[in-house]
Amino acid sequence: TTSSLSKPYIQIGIFSVRGNADNAAAAMRTNGMVPLVKKMTSKNKTFWRVVVGPASNASERKTLLKQIHGTGFTDAYAVSN
């Protein structure tokens, strides 16, 4: 999916424990969304980002964000990747 948005993804959270990231991703799947779990390293620490997207337009991103907030991830927000 291509997107004209500068921030087409919604970040669910950043987790220091892989299992917690997997649980958040599973919650998104259960609610019909397609999450990505991205392993990252910063300052010799490994963490996992969970994002949903990309949204193809602003309306779709708004709907996704509303769905995600409805699952309890109320601090989710739009990100570039």
Side-chain angles (χ1 to χ4, degrees):
T1 304
T2 58
S3 176
S4 61
L5 298 170
S6 63
K7 295 182 177 181
Y9 292 89
I10 305 293
Q11 180 169 294
I12 308 305
I14 296 175
F15 302 88
S16 58
V17 177
R18 174 68 193 251
N20 294 342
D22 290 341
N23 289 341
M28 295 303 104
R29 277 189 215 94
T30 298
N31 287 281
M33 294 171 265
V34 181
L36 298 169
V37 178
K38 299 180 175 193
K39 182 178 180 180
M40 309 188 87
T41 305
S42 177
K43 298 180 184 173
N44 295 321
K45 294 195 179 204
T46 301
F47 56 94
W48 292 266
R49 286 178 66 221
V50 180
V51 297
V52 173
S56 57
N57 58 53
S59 177
E60 184 179 326
R61 181 177 60 197
K62 184 178 177 181
T63 300
L64 265 178
L65 191 57
K66 188 174 179 180
Q67 275 185 285
I68 291 163
H69 285 172
T71 66
F73 290 92
T74 55
D75 57 351
Y77 59 94
V79 294
S80 58
N81 63 19

